[in-house]
Amino acid sequence: MQRKHKEKKMKPTRKDEYDYLMEQIPFPIPTSPFIKISELVKDFEIGEYIVRAVDNVELLIREHEYIAIIGESGAGKTTLLHLLAGLDKPTAGAIYLSHINIIPMDYETLATYRIFNVGLVFQNYNLISSLTAVENVMFPMQLCQIPLNECESKANELLEQVGLTARAEHLPFQLSAGEQQRVAIARALALDPPIILADEPTANLDKKNAEFIGELFERFQSEGKTIVVATHDEKLIKHAHRILVMAEGKIISDKQVTEISFRDNDGETDGIDEVSKSEEVKKIDEAL
Amino acid sequence: MSMNFAIKDIVHHRLESKSILRSNITILTLFFFYLNIVRSFNFLTMPPLINFLNFTLFELFTQFNQFLLILTGILAAAILIINNHAIIEARKKDIAIMKAIGTYPSHLYGFYLSEVLIICAISMIIAWILAFGGYLILYLIFSSLIGNLAWYPERGLSFLFMASLLLVIFMFNGWEIRKIGNLSYSETKAGPMKSKIHAILKPRLRNFLRRKSLSLNTAIRNLYRKKKKVRQTLVMITLASMILFTCFFGIFVINKTGSTYVTQAQGEYVLALGNDYVLEAYNQGYTTFSNSSVDPLSTGMFLNSEYNITEINTFLMETLTEYDIQAIDSRLFTAETIIEQPGVVLQALINETTGADYQEYALVGGEDTRLVAMQGVHFDEMVQDWYYEGALLNIQNGAVIGDTLAGEIYESALVQWISYSNIEANRTYRHKINAIVFDTFNRGNSAYFLLESLQETLGRPNFTNLILVDYSAIMMEDSLFDKDLFIETITNLLHSKMGEDFNVLDLYPTFQANEQAIFENTLTQIILSMFMTFIIGFNLYQFQRGRVNDDLKDNSILYALGAKEKFIQHTIFWELIFLISLGTLLAFIGAMYLIIIFLMDNSNMPSIWVPLGTGAGIFVFFSGLSWIIARRFHISAPNQNLMSN
């Protein structure tokens, strides 16, 4: 007797879910501006007090743009980045990514939004404590059901790029601060997201590591990623197209350092040279 | 200063303090409440004089409750120590800062040890008050409904336990604080992992995980690398499961043992034939087992020649044969004062000067007296099928005594003797004790001799005043005979041959009452066990939730990376279920071992499916709790968790 073969019902992958989400959006998708932040407000209740961390922020970010946000501690930089990443919900306002408002999305949809769009780099690295460096990098790929062998080879490739091949099997606490941050950056790149959000990625690092990370960000810029980085580090600011200055939750200054420029495949840059960018940065520093 | 700092720290971390207090209080309340209840039921220590049931059953109940009490005490101590450990772990960073600003290690020690001791002392006081209140309420309910619960609140042991526990905490957690004070930076940074852990997975585990889902992978890696936490959780789960397993399996064991003993000691379907005076006393002997208000037997005129029933034997056998009953159990029943007689044992000793082993005969036992029920029987024709210790065969001049008599007045009954006097003949007789039987008759204060031997010593040749008939054959489903008709036939025979003073007494109702007494005691244990299950379940739930909250940052990172809440819930569930499986398995093995060692000495093992079913039940219960914990996990403020160090 022949056994009847049941057709195996395939579970939808995270990519399928994402594609389905995208299908719900009216076409054609306008390409510019890439991210639009409109009247964004975030309040935190601390006992009887209400602290306004982000106060009526309006911002347009174009694709491939590199934005550095500077400002004093408590100015609202981290909160703004977390709102952009969909890690928190604002009190009011909207964030549009390619004209899709991400604010009404539930936390599940936001997780899917993040995995395909955003690479997150935190000030305190936020590596999963019980996973090794390579497992941390593999994790986002595994979430997308990418075959294990591919995950492993891609993770090792990324670790090689950040110079950590030898530390692949070490747990986060066994790595130095700089190494942890490099693993976090490799993890942020695992799914090659179009947006990189980084919250003071060099704040806890020594000069050498900070320089290395500055070089990495320069490379992301050249690869055409949209980068938003909250930082005080000149090594990261010097590559930025725009510099935003935040104070008390507001954007008090939005300086265009240069036109959007990223390296073409032939390695040439179009736009204003590095020297002029540095001068703009100096002006910002003086203003602060 | 330490006290001042400790109180401020407790108030400052009020949320954490409250949750730890809640966890401590529930388990301590359970322990103190159980202690009070067990004392009131008279099941904590063997009473000086058994006033219902008998020695063996009391021993069984006492062992069971002592065992449970010890386990609950250990669990309470473990929970307090683990909770204190959690407080100290959470203060690691503060300790490091204080060290950095130049705080003396002795001050550090004083600050944090005072804090954990204050929390424990508050927990103990509140728990004691709650337990006492609970006990009072239960006592009032019991006294109005049943009326057999003694007001016997516990004081001494509770305070001894509190003092010991504070001492253990002082030593254990104090040592832990000292150890943290001496940790290097990298060791402190390792958190719940070993600082020198080799994180590469073994190839076999790696290959196994390759084929498994990502949530299972993450869960196993988490467990594999956070061994310290896994160990703590396993201790908790194993102890909790062991208590629940012992509770429920112990109930089965006690119930089965009790009812088996009662059936063996009494026989289920037994008729007693004799003079009304003898029958009343004989029935009273069995009633005392389940009714503490009935007095034990006293001396009487049982040997009156008018009560002799021997002459009915031939006629009775003829009638019984018609009912397919082939044997009768003729007895001489009386109540006499016996005297314990010493015996001799061979003791192994060591010479203190030379250190050489040698053996020496030693006298054991004294000359205590007690009024007991005495019966002359034919051991091979008895309706009982006793559970016994010693030798029950070929008893000529020997004696068999009940377990309470052996346990209460004898030191080493099987090497000792029993003696009694025939006042009429002014002679004293001595018999070697051959066996101790589990006896429900006269609460186990009984002695049995060979019928002819007792007839001779008491000067009553050919005298029997009681006949027992086992009518189980009539009660069988395929039996053609009617029980009432059978009893009526025997009664008529007795009346016609012996007179109206001779009657038939069905002992089945007494048997049922005795079996019911076992069941009532078991029911009390079941109610207590349900209460325990609730408290332990609650505590384990709180503990596991705390454990999940400890991993909140890791879970928030998973979420920030794009993992859905369901994925995190699956990971949590896998982790919990793995620990539950291992914990319940360890508990099953441990509890079975301990039950066999401590409880099974005098008890009967139920079917193997009972312990397996109990283990499975506990596993399902804890798995359900794990499922609830996992399902109730939600990421509420991921950004705050991600920003914490």
Side-chain angles (χ1 to χ4, degrees):
Chain A
M1 210 169 82
Q2 266 195 336
R3 188 181 286 176
K4 227 180 181 180
H5 283 284
K6 261 192 179 173
E7 211 172 282
K8 200 180 172 189
K9 206 177 174 185
M10 292 294 284
K11 220 176 144 189
T13 63
R14 293 294 290 270
K15 186 79 179 94
D16 296 334
E17 284 176 28
Y18 184 68
D19 290 343
Y20 173 76
L21 266 171
M22 292 299 110
E23 277 169 22
Q24 310 306 307
I25 301 158
F27 283 92
I29 303 168
T31 52
S32 183
F34 189 42
I35 301 169
K36 183 186 170 193
I37 296 172
S38 171
E39 293 173 4
L40 199 68
V41 175
K42 177 67 187 174
D43 291 337
F44 288 109
E45 276 182 44
I46 301 165
E48 293 170 0
Y49 300 97
I50 293 178
V51 177
R52 180 152 289 190
V54 174
D55 191 0
N56 262 308
V57 168
E58 295 275 353
L59 185 65
L60 295 175
I61 302 169
R62 280 165 291 173
E63 209 169 0
H64 316 306
E65 202 169 22
Y66 183 153
I67 293 182
I69 307 175
I70 57 176
E72 289 174 351
S73 289
K77 308 182 295 286
T78 303
T79 310
L80 182 62
L81 282 180
H82 283 177
L83 291 171
L84 266 173
L87 286 172
D88 205 356
K89 297 265 187 184
T91 312
I95 297 171
Y96 297 93
L97 176 82
S98 298
H99 287 240
I100 307 160
N101 188 359
I102 64 163
I103 302 306
M105 289 181 182
D106 60 21
Y107 279 111
E108 295 285 279
T109 319
L110 280 172
T112 303
Y113 149 74
R114 257 193 313 276
I115 206 163
F116 291 106
N117 291 298
V118 183
L120 275 168
V121 182
F122 298 92
Q123 182 182 349
N124 54 357
Y125 334 120
N126 279 341
L127 297 179
I128 301 159
S129 62
S130 57
L131 298 186
T132 59
V134 69
E135 286 165 357
N136 261 287
V137 181
M138 281 164 66
F139 189 78
M141 296 184 266
Q142 286 179 290
L143 277 178
C144 293
Q145 285 125 36
I146 294 172
L148 203 62
N149 291 339
E150 266 181 58
C151 292
E152 264 173 347
S153 59
K154 178 82 195 272
N156 283 319
E157 192 186 305
L158 285 166
L159 283 177
E160 198 184 336
Q161 282 176 32
V162 295
L164 285 175
T165 313
R167 313 299 302 270
E169 294 293 352
H170 287 163
L171 288 166
F173 76 87
Q174 293 167 330
L175 302 171
S176 72
E179 286 167 339
Q180 285 189 59
Q181 194 58 295
R182 281 188 269 161
V183 175
I185 291 170
R187 186 181 65 184
L189 295 173
L191 287 165
D192 198 17
I195 305 167
I196 300 281
L197 300 177
D199 182 16
E200 308 214 25
T202 56
N204 297 334
L205 308 183
D206 57 35
K207 199 178 161 195
K208 195 180 153 197
N209 274 303
E211 267 169 14
F212 185 83
I213 285 170
E215 283 163 22
L216 283 175
F217 273 76
E218 193 186 348
R219 206 168 74 209
F220 302 158
Q221 185 210 6
S222 68
E223 286 166 1
K225 293 203 183 296
T226 307
I227 302 165
V228 184
V229 57
T231 186
H232 292 106
D233 192 336
E234 208 174 305
K235 289 179 277 300
L236 293 177
I237 298 170
K238 72 180 178 189
H239 305 295
H241 303 123
R242 275 165 75 192
I243 299 169
L244 308 181
V245 182
M246 280 190 83
E248 293 179 354
K250 291 190 170 103
I251 295 176
I252 56 163
S253 161
D254 183 351
K255 299 272 183 187
Q256 189 81 26
V257 179
T258 176
E259 294 299 321
I260 297 172
S261 66
F262 62 95
R263 284 180 208 283
D264 296 332
N265 288 339
D266 57 6
E268 285 179 9
T269 54
D270 47 353
I272 297 169
D273 59 23
E274 301 290 318
V275 180
S276 64
K277 274 196 272 181
S278 301
E279 281 167 1
E280 285 293 321
V281 172
K282 278 173 196 163
K283 281 180 198 164
I284 298 284
D285 283 343
E286 280 164 17
L288 283 168
Chain B
M1 189 187 168
S2 298
M3 199 62 93
N4 195 0
F5 173 87
I7 293 170
K8 275 184 189 163
D9 211 43
I10 292 169
V11 175
H12 178 66
H13 297 101
R14 61 174 70 82
L15 273 179
E16 187 194 4
S17 306
K18 262 188 203 169
S19 112
I20 283 176
L21 275 172
R22 217 171 19 238
S23 164
N24 287 354
I25 289 168
T26 45
I27 192 69
L28 284 170
T29 307
L30 172 70
F31 178 77
F32 293 137
F33 180 76
Y34 192 61
L35 192 58
N36 277 308
I37 286 292
V38 172
R39 257 172 74 98
S40 280
F41 278 122
N42 246 332
F43 285 143
L44 187 61
T45 48
M46 287 289 291
L49 210 63
I50 303 292
N51 60 353
F52 74 110
L53 301 181
N54 62 13
F55 190 85
T56 314
L57 272 179
F58 246 101
E59 208 175 22
L60 196 65
F61 273 105
T62 309
Q63 277 175 358
F64 172 66
N65 284 296
Q66 278 177 352
F67 183 43
L68 267 183
L69 197 69
I70 291 168
L71 278 180
T72 316
I74 294 172
L75 180 70
I79 286 178
L80 258 68
I81 288 169
I82 291 172
N83 282 342
N84 290 339
H85 170 80
I87 296 174
I88 296 162
E89 279 286 315
R91 306 286 190 277
K92 253 183 177 177
K93 204 178 154 193
D94 290 353
I95 293 175
I97 294 166
M98 292 180 97
K99 263 170 70 181
I101 59 172
T103 314
Y104 290 125
S106 59
H107 278 166
L108 269 179
Y109 183 70
F111 292 162
Y112 292 101
L113 192 60
S114 305
E115 189 172 337
V116 294
L117 286 175
I118 288 171
I119 287 183
C120 290
I122 294 171
S123 311
M124 285 171 185
I125 294 164
I126 297 175
W128 191 87
I129 294 167
L130 286 177
F132 188 79
Y135 169 63
L136 181 67
I137 293 166
L138 197 85
Y139 170 76
L140 292 173
I141 295 170
F142 258 80
S143 5
S144 58
L145 291 177
I146 305 166
N148 66 349
L149 187 70
W151 175 247
Y152 206 15
E154 214 300 311
R155 282 179 294 270
L157 259 179
S158 301
F159 292 108
L160 186 70
F161 177 75
M162 287 189 209
S164 319
L165 201 50
L166 285 175
L167 187 70
V168 169
I169 288 163
F170 177 81
M171 284 159 64
F172 190 84
N173 293 118
W175 166 77
E176 201 178 15
I177 297 167
R178 278 183 196 278
K179 212 175 89 178
I180 288 174
N182 296 327
L183 280 185
S184 69
Y185 175 67
S186 65
E187 282 166 338
T188 315
K189 212 168 62 146
M193 280 174 268
K194 266 188 182 176
S195 56
K196 288 173 187 161
I197 186 173
H198 186 51
I200 300 176
L201 299 177
K202 290 188 175 103
R204 195 178 286 177
L205 180 60
R206 218 185 172 106
N207 287 336
F208 168 77
L209 290 177
R210 284 186 100 86
R211 297 188 294 272
K212 302 294 167 219
S213 69
L214 182 58
S215 51
L216 181 63
N217 253 284
T218 314
I220 290 180
R221 280 166 214 263
N222 211 7
L223 291 170
Y224 187 76
R225 286 163 185 162
K226 291 182 180 172
K227 283 180 182 154
K228 200 168 148 192
K229 259 183 153 179
V230 167
R231 265 201 304 271
Q232 281 174 5
T233 317
L234 263 184
V235 167
M236 276 284 298
I237 295 173
T238 308
L239 277 172
S241 310
M242 256 175 106
I243 293 176
L244 295 188
F245 185 83
T246 313
C247 256
F248 289 102
F249 181 57
I251 288 168
F252 278 109
V253 171
I254 286 181
N255 193 32
K256 164 94 177 159
T257 306
S259 55
T260 309
Y261 278 172
V262 172
T263 312
Q264 285 177 334
Q266 247 171 279
E268 198 170 353
Y269 300 111
V270 177
L271 292 181
L273 283 66
N275 185 281
D276 288 340
Y277 177 75
V278 176
L279 288 184
E280 192 189 337
Y282 190 73
N283 194 35
Q284 183 192 340
Y286 278 123
T287 314
T288 52
F289 179 78
S290 54
N291 193 342
S292 56
S293 58
V294 174
D295 292 329
L297 285 177
S298 53
T299 44
M301 306 296 289
F302 303 113
L303 300 179
N304 191 328
S305 58
E306 286 175 13
Y307 302 155
N308 193 345
I309 197 171
T310 311
E311 61 186 84
I312 194 82
N313 283 4
T314 323
F315 305 108
L316 185 64
M317 274 316 297
E318 281 171 13
T319 312
L320 290 178
T321 315
E322 290 170 19
Y323 286 90
D324 287 344
I325 297 171
Q326 306 300 330
I328 56 167
D329 179 359
S330 295
R331 297 189 176 194
L332 189 163
F333 164 66
T334 185
E336 296 284 344
T337 300
I338 59 96
I339 306 164
E340 173 206 12
Q341 294 289 322
V344 171
V345 287
L346 196 58
Q347 280 184 331
L349 299 164
I350 298 169
N351 190 320
E352 283 178 13
T353 47
T354 61
D357 297 342
Y358 69 99
Q359 289 182 323
E360 195 178 84
Y361 283 101
L363 207 63
V364 288
E367 292 194 336
D368 286 345
T369 60
R370 179 167 286 187
L371 182 75
V372 301
M374 279 171 64
Q375 292 183 54
V377 296
H378 284 130
F379 287 98
D380 49 350
E381 289 173 2
M382 288 178 67
V383 293
Q384 282 104 341
D385 177 23
W386 277 320
Y387 177 87
Y388 65 93
E389 195 182 330
L392 209 53
L393 295 169
N394 303 321
I395 296 173
Q396 294 301 321
N397 290 314
V400 171
I401 62 170
D403 54 342
T404 307
L405 182 64
E408 283 186 351
I409 73 166
Y410 277 88
E411 198 175 323
S412 182
L414 288 173
V415 297
Q416 291 184 248
W417 300 67
I418 183 170
S419 74
Y420 55 89
S421 300
N422 178 346
I423 296 164
E424 289 170 10
N426 200 18
R427 289 191 68 175
T428 297
Y429 298 93
R430 206 167 79 117
H431 297 262
K432 173 83 178 58
I433 295 169
N434 285 42
I436 301 162
V437 292
F438 172 91
D439 202 4
T440 51
F441 193 73
N442 204 28
R443 295 175 194 149
N445 290 301
S446 53
Y448 298 86
F449 307 88
L450 190 68
L451 179 61
E452 286 74 16
S453 168
L454 194 65
Q455 283 172 337
E456 192 187 329
T457 53
L458 294 179
R460 295 288 188 281
N462 210 24
F463 178 89
T464 52
N465 53 5
L466 187 74
I467 296 172
L468 300 180
V469 177
D470 183 349
Y471 65 94
S472 307
I474 290 173
M475 298 307 291
M476 286 166 86
E477 271 182 27
D478 56 352
S479 171
L480 302 168
F481 309 110
D482 178 62
K483 175 191 158 190
D484 294 334
L485 195 66
F486 168 69
I487 294 175
E488 198 184 321
T489 311
I490 307 277
T491 310
N492 289 339
L493 177 74
L494 269 178
H495 287 173
S496 63
K497 299 289 177 191
M498 304 296 300
E500 293 291 317
D501 292 342
F502 284 80
N503 260 308
V504 175
L505 179 71
D506 188 1
L507 293 174
Y508 182 68
T510 317
F511 166 80
Q512 270 188 316
N514 289 351
E515 219 180 20
Q516 183 64 22
I518 303 280
F519 177 71
E520 276 167 17
N521 277 307
T522 315
L523 199 67
T524 316
Q525 296 290 348
I526 291 173
I527 294 167
L528 269 175
S529 302
M530 300 297 273
F531 174 71
M532 271 193 162
T533 309
F534 175 75
I535 296 283
I536 288 172
F538 175 75
N539 227 293
L540 200 71
Y541 177 80
Q542 292 284 346
F543 180 81
Q544 295 280 58
R545 280 201 72 176
R547 202 179 160 276
V548 170
N549 278 336
D550 286 347
D551 290 339
L552 198 57
K553 189 174 177 192
D554 274 354
N555 288 328
S556 297
I557 298 170
L558 294 182
Y559 174 73
L561 293 177
K564 287 186 176 180
E565 218 165 56
K566 203 157 222 170
F567 168 84
I568 302 171
Q569 288 174 349
H570 282 162
T571 309
I572 292 170
F573 183 70
W574 281 123
E575 267 188 48
L576 297 178
I577 210 75
F578 177 82
L579 291 168
I580 295 289
S581 312
L582 194 59
T584 42
L585 182 70
L586 285 174
F588 178 77
I589 296 166
M592 280 300 280
Y593 177 76
L594 291 172
I595 285 172
I596 288 167
I597 296 288
F598 293 110
L599 214 59
M600 295 300 282
D601 193 27
N602 293 317
S603 55
N604 285 12
M605 182 78 168
S607 149
I608 187 69
W609 293 107
V610 174
L612 288 177
T614 311
I618 292 166
F619 175 75
V620 169
F621 173 63
F622 284 157
S623 302
L625 281 182
S626 306
W627 186 80
I628 294 169
I629 292 167
R631 293 290 295 182
R632 287 194 64 187
F633 177 82
H634 297 293
I635 299 270
S636 53
N639 52 330
Q640 284 173 24
N641 303 323
L642 292 168
M643 278 154 71
S644 65
N645 283 315

